[in-house]
Every structure is written in structure tokens, then in C-alpha cells.
Amino acid sequence: MSTVTELETQRWGDALRDAGLRVTPGRVAALHYVDSHPHVSVGQIHAALADELPSLSAQSVHNITNDLVEHGIMRRIDLPDTNSALFETRVADNHHHIQCVVCHRIEDIECVVGEAPCLTPGHAHGMRLLEAAVTFRGVCSNCDTAQ
């Protein structure tokens, strides 16, 4: 894991302060890592930060991701066939995901219609729609040629 630059520290520090959160080394390092490695689990974040922040426990990373999701700085993604929740810093843009059913690679997909929600259900049961979470599933080209 490369050290977080001063510019990145400033960027994430501003985002944390704007959300009313304290700026801590663990939060800044987690945001930097997830921003450069989207769709990662808490375990992957913890493993990546362990050398840089040896006192950061797996539970601390869980707490960090939960706080950042709750304050809208990070997004939690729960996809089929993944062992745990995944996280990304791309928030509030109504994008979707495509997942390979063989290797489980995940990529972002732009909303195909436009603004949130980009899909409208037949009946909203009196609810005001905020977003549509869509996961496309398929077989990536690497896995397709390997079969």
C-alpha cells in the first residue's frame, strides 16, 4: 500500500469534516485504498492497511466502513456470490454493476436511462423512489474463452 499523499489527505479530510466526522489516519487510509481499489471487502481493506497501520484492527475497519457508508462517503454493495459486503467511494451517481458469474470480477456500469431512479417499478406502494440498484450478471471474456 502506498502512502497517502498530502493532496489525498486534504481531499478525504475535507470530505470527512463536511460529513461531521473526525479526520483519522484509519479513515483517510481506508478511503484512499477503496478509492483506488473499488469493490473491496473489509478483509481486503484491513490486509492492505496492516503494514501501514499495524494497530488498526479488523473491527476498526468494520467501524470505519460502517461510519463512512452511514455518512454517504462510501457505498456498500451486496452482490450475489460474494462472501461479504464490498465497498467503493463512488457514491450518489446512480451507477450499477456487472459481475462475472465465473471469476466474480465486478465492474461499474453507468445508468442506462439517466437520473435516479433510472428504472421505475410498476407500483411503488406509496414510496418515493430514491434509486434503483441493478446488478447485471454474465461471463467475462477471459472466463468465456477459458471454457
Side-chain angles (χ1 to χ4, degrees):
M1 161 92 197
S2 62
T3 304
V4 181
T5 67
E6 192 172 321
L7 183 61
E8 290 163 324
T9 300
Q10 178 69 41
R11 172 185 170 208
W12 293 122
D14 289 346
L16 290 164
R17 281 187 288 279
D18 289 348
L21 294 171
R22 284 186 25 239
V23 178
T24 66
R27 286 176 175 161
V28 171
L31 281 163
H32 170 67
Y33 182 76
V34 173
D35 191 53
S36 58
H37 301 87
H39 316 127
V40 292
S41 68
V42 165
Q44 291 169 308
I45 298 167
H46 181 252
L49 302 180
D51 288 342
E52 184 179 340
L53 299 169
S55 65
L56 190 68
S57 68
Q59 184 59 52
S60 294
V61 177
H62 274 285
N63 294 342
I64 288 169
T65 56
N66 287 338
D67 287 346
L68 297 177
V69 167
E70 182 179 324
H71 286 85
I73 302 171
M74 196 177 282
R75 180 179 179 188
R76 177 186 168 127
I77 309 159
D78 294 295
L79 297 176
D81 300 328
T82 56
N83 295 330
S84 62
L86 304 176
F87 297 90
E88 65 184 356
T89 57
R90 189 174 169 191
V91 297
D93 69 350
N94 204 48
H95 74 279
H96 305 296
H97 298 96
I98 188 163
Q99 175 187 33
C100 177
V101 298
V102 179
C103 68
H104 306 291
R105 188 179 97 213
I106 299 163
E107 298 292 341
D108 292 334
I109 297 280
E110 301 305 318
C111 183
V112 293
V113 176
E115 296 180 23
C118 64
L119 299 174
T120 305
H123 194 298
H125 300 277
M127 295 185 200
R128 180 174 57 89
L129 297 176
L130 301 175
E131 70 176 346
V134 177
T135 301
F136 298 93
R137 300 187 76 210
V139 177
C140 71
S141 59
N142 288 340
C143 292
D144 205 24
T145 55
Q147 292 183 1

